Amino acid sequence: MATRPGPLTEWPWQRLGNFKYVVMAPVVVHGARRVAGGGWGDIDLAFALILPSLLLRMAHNQIWISAARYQTARSKHRIVDRGIEFDQVDRERGWDDQIILNGLFFYVGYLLIPSARHLPAWRADGAAAMALLHAGPVEFLYYWFHRALHHHFLYSRYHSHHHSSIVTEPITSVIHPFAEHMVYYFLFAIPMLTTVYMGNASVLGFVLYIAYIDFMNNMGHCNFELVPKWVFQLFPPLKYLMYTPSFHSLHHTQFRTNYSLFMPFYDYIYNTMDKSSDQLYQSSLRGTEETPDLVHLTHMTDLQSAYHLRIGFASIASKPSNRSMWYMWTLWPLAWLSMVFAWVYGSSAFVVERIKLKKLTMQTWAIPRYNFQYGLNWERESINDLIEKAILDADARGVKVLSLGLLNQAKQLNGGGELFRQKYPKLRVRLVDGSGLATAVVLKSIPHDAKQVFLQAGPSKIACATASALCEKGVKVIMNPKKEYDMLKSQIADSRASYLKNSSNHMPQNWLPRKVMSAWRIAGILHALEGWTMHECGDAMMDAEKAWSAAISHGFVPLTKA
């Protein structure tokens, strides 16, 4: 929301939530009636492409979202070195609203303008006219409207909503209040309506013009520089006709410069060009190679977890995985396809995210394998190869600490990481499984007066340490399943083994909510912050109290107190 929301801030269908696409029902019903009455031959090209063009726009935008988030995590050409908060993700979730509005405008125009019907597929003269009209009236009017939006009256009521995003993503480009978008579409309608009345409009001309707007909008709001220098060297005047991500990023950080839409020409004319534009472009293009202080090596869980990657669908990725949505089943083919693709072509860990914590630079890498694959005996060697490759890559890059996600530290897979420590005794990167902190978290979360605890875990260091500590206190520990119970019981002192019991009851799996990290990941952060030099893998385990005290001193709190 803007700081002081003005009239027509909310979208008309905002209260419909995910059912907002029902507003396109008149287009569907109209098309169905025409097909029923006169067959498919009664549908002309202009009408037939209304809905497909909207789907094309959605796919185009989603490609930019996914590609940009992946590049932002790994690229050395980042412009603003800051993370993105959840409130920005929530604010930008409705990026498809303007696509719905576009569809309604096309439909209303089709109904009200007789000459807009039966348009030809392509007219080159019409496309040329649209290009000239965009470079002239559209860019000119947008420039002055944009400057007006930065007047405190309009800025506080409308445009501040867009500028809440200092670190931009491609889709930030279309996050505006409803009233603002109405003006933008009236501006973009100038070339289209003009060619309609000139008689040289075409369906493909309209589609390509909207695609051009989407492309430039998305490209200009990336948080990394991607326009190569040779483009401007080959055609120097292009610097006045095409902006770059670094050019527009300055508008989001400085606010009073670089107002142009896509063509910086008007900023040069009216002396609103930020003087550091060229310098930022050069420095962003050169980039800075960055070595993360620590890496958390995780993995995919179930197939549904593919939807929750940052590079995926924003409306799903920003929510906990246990929040299922009615349309999720439609994405299963995509999930299966991504799993097969990762299985066949996933030859190394990939960067999932990059964040800053105090002076630490952290990255999350994911092994391109899912839970069920970790349980396949014939896959263990290849998974260990992937983990080993990631560890050696981190070591070669000077990473200080690498924390192992849950299945990447499985004892039956690689001995809790001991396999790699033994194989490479001169490793400089410290391998951390977080067992000490995980044990402390479990023990501290159990009420002091508890008499019985259900422990659902495998025969791990954490399970053994937790069960031993509880049994020492005289707390009855009930375990599931039987195989793990038998293995763990052999590791408990005989004097306390009577407190360990087995049960077939099943406890459901919980997913971490927002702003909550696993103990394995936090343990890696603590190793980097505290400068601990020991490996915590295999049978080696950090003292639980020491890990707990360090976590509390650095501001981490248990989920039950968050």
Side-chain angles (χ1 to χ4, degrees):
M1 277 294 174
T3 52
R4 297 170 60 190
L8 297 179
T9 289
E10 287 192 0
W11 290 80
W13 46 79
Q14 186 165 325
R15 300 179 189 279
L16 294 177
N18 289 329
F19 293 97
K20 59 189 176 184
Y21 288 96
V22 74
V23 301
M24 296 301 297
V27 184
V28 177
V29 173
H30 185 167
R33 290 182 62 183
R34 291 182 63 174
V35 170
W40 288 102
D42 194 43
I43 303 292
D44 59 282
L45 186 62
F47 182 85
L49 285 182
I50 290 178
L51 292 180
S53 68
L54 304 187
L55 294 176
L56 181 65
R57 290 192 65 196
M58 295 183 72
H60 182 189
N61 287 331
Q62 183 60 52
I63 290 171
W64 272 104
I65 292 171
S66 299
R69 286 182 168 181
Y70 179 65
Q71 285 297 325
T72 299
R74 64 185 290 274
S75 175
K76 69 174 185 177
H77 303 290
R78 284 180 299 275
I79 301 169
V80 179
D81 193 18
R82 288 174 53 180
I84 293 176
E85 298 295 332
F86 278 114
D87 60 350
Q88 177 174 340
V89 176
D90 292 339
R91 185 172 60 252
E92 297 180 352
R93 183 175 289 124
W95 59 266
D96 51 348
D97 285 328
Q98 48 91 28
I99 296 180
I100 297 175
L101 181 63
N102 177 209
L104 292 175
F105 276 158
F106 274 161
Y107 181 57
V108 171
Y110 179 84
L111 294 178
L112 298 182
I113 307 174
S115 57
R117 304 167 198 170
H118 307 292
L119 292 176
W122 173 249
R123 285 284 298 266
D125 56 343
M130 289 177 67
L132 292 174
L133 287 165
H134 176 86
V138 174
E139 289 277 349
F140 176 78
L141 291 173
Y142 177 91
Y143 174 85
W144 285 107
F145 176 61
H146 194 181
R147 288 190 66 169
L149 286 173
H150 278 261
H151 183 276
H152 65 85
F153 181 85
L154 291 178
Y155 186 82
S156 61
R157 287 164 175 78
Y158 297 104
H159 202 50
S160 58
H161 179 71
H162 177 69
H163 274 277
S164 298
S165 302
I166 304 298
V167 183
T168 59
E169 293 196 289
I171 215 60
T172 304
S173 60
V174 294
I175 304 304
H176 302 280
F178 173 69
E180 218 176 300
H181 260 297
M182 289 290 290
V183 177
Y184 294 147
Y185 270 113
F186 281 131
L187 290 178
F188 297 144
I190 292 173
M192 292 185 281
L193 291 177
T194 302
T195 55
V196 168
Y197 287 110
M198 288 172 59
N200 57 4
S202 65
V203 175
L204 190 56
F206 288 177
V207 172
L208 291 178
Y209 180 53
I210 297 297
Y212 163 76
I213 293 170
D214 283 342
F215 180 90
M216 295 300 290
N217 258 333
N218 284 318
M219 184 270 289
H221 284 78
C222 288
N223 189 35
F224 55 91
E225 190 54 72
L226 56 91
V227 181
K229 188 186 299 184
W230 63 262
V231 172
F232 299 110
Q233 292 173 339
L234 188 66
F235 186 62
L238 194 62
K239 68 180 293 186
Y240 304 106
L241 303 177
M242 186 182 80
Y243 73 168
T244 66
S246 55
F247 175 93
H248 192 71
S249 179
L250 281 168
H251 177 70
H252 276 260
T253 56
Q254 304 303 319
F255 299 103
R256 298 292 182 180
T257 57
N258 296 7
Y259 292 102
S260 293
L261 177 56
F262 306 140
M263 301 179 177
F265 178 72
Y266 294 100
D267 280 302
Y268 281 101
I269 291 179
Y270 297 110
N271 199 32
T272 52
M273 180 79 173
D274 196 293
K275 292 179 174 57
S276 63
S277 295
D278 290 340
Q279 180 183 350
L280 182 61
Y281 170 72
Q282 297 288 348
S283 61
S284 299
L285 204 57
R286 285 194 303 271
T288 303
E289 287 290 353
E290 180 183 77
T291 298
D293 297 293
L294 88 100
V295 167
H296 181 60
L297 187 61
T298 185
H299 54 81
M300 308 293 286
T301 52
D302 55 21
L303 283 180
Q304 194 174 359
S305 68
Y307 309 141
H308 293 266
L309 288 173
R310 263 185 53 81
I311 61 175
F313 301 98
S315 60
I316 303 175
S318 62
K319 297 177 181 178
S321 186
N322 61 346
R323 292 185 59 177
S324 60
M325 285 149 275
W326 62 270
Y327 54 85
M328 294 286 279
W329 65 269
T330 63
L331 302 176
W332 272 106
L334 184 60
W336 275 98
L337 183 63
S338 67
M339 182 272 293
V340 173
F341 184 84
W343 202 341
V344 176
Y345 296 104
S347 58
S348 62
F350 60 95
V351 181
V352 175
E353 65 179 356
R354 172 188 170 276
I355 56 178
K356 287 273 191 180
L357 178 64
K358 297 183 179 179
K359 295 182 179 180
L360 289 183
T361 299
M362 302 184 292
Q363 290 184 1
T364 300
W365 299 355
I367 298 295
R369 295 295 185 270
Y370 291 80
N371 272 6
F372 80 92
Q373 291 167 300
Y374 279 77
L376 303 174
N377 292 332
W378 50 272
E379 267 288 291
R380 289 182 180 177
E381 184 177 348
S382 65
I383 290 175
N384 269 333
D385 288 343
L386 290 169
I387 298 172
E388 180 178 334
K389 185 177 179 180
I391 291 172
L392 295 179
D393 182 28
D395 192 58
R397 294 175 59 181
V399 176
K400 298 173 183 176
V401 177
L402 185 143
S403 55
L404 296 167
L406 185 57
L407 293 185
N408 289 332
Q409 56 169 275
K411 197 164 185 72
Q412 65 271 29
L413 184 66
N414 50 49
E418 183 66 15
L419 171 67
F420 310 115
R421 194 182 72 82
Q422 292 290 342
K423 189 174 181 179
Y424 302 101
K426 294 184 179 181
L427 272 179
R428 291 169 297 173
V429 62
R430 295 306 176 212
L431 303 182
V432 175
D433 62 14
S435 51
L437 181 60
T439 300
V441 170
V442 173
L443 292 174
K444 296 290 184 180
S445 64
I446 298 173
H448 294 292
D449 58 350
K451 301 298 182 184
Q452 181 174 293
V453 170
F454 188 98
L455 182 63
Q456 186 183 28
S460 63
K461 289 188 296 182
I462 301 171
C464 185
T466 302
S468 296
L470 291 173
C471 290
E472 285 292 328
K473 295 179 181 179
V475 177
K476 183 183 293 184
V477 178
I478 303 173
M479 281 206 65
N480 175 25
K482 181 68 164 60
K483 179 180 177 182
E484 278 69 17
Y485 159 77
D486 291 335
M487 295 179 67
L488 191 57
K489 188 170 184 178
S490 65
Q491 302 176 47
I492 300 292
D494 292 339
S495 59
R496 297 299 178 187
S498 60
Y499 289 102
L500 193 64
K501 304 293 182 182
N502 174 249
S503 172
S504 59
N505 290 335
H506 176 71
M507 296 294 285
Q509 182 180 13
N510 292 318
W511 294 89
L512 296 179
R514 287 180 170 185
K515 297 184 179 180
V516 176
M517 292 183 178
S518 66
W520 300 280
R521 187 172 185 179
I522 294 174
I525 296 173
L526 297 178
H527 268 68
L529 289 172
E530 294 288 327
W532 293 334
T533 58
M534 66 172 286
H535 289 288
E536 188 183 23
C537 60
D539 293 329
M541 179 173 170
M542 178 65 66
D543 179 75
E545 281 299 327
K546 182 178 179 180
W548 177 264
S549 298
I552 298 301
S553 67
H554 286 289
F556 293 102
V557 295
L559 177 59
T560 54
K561 297 181 180 179

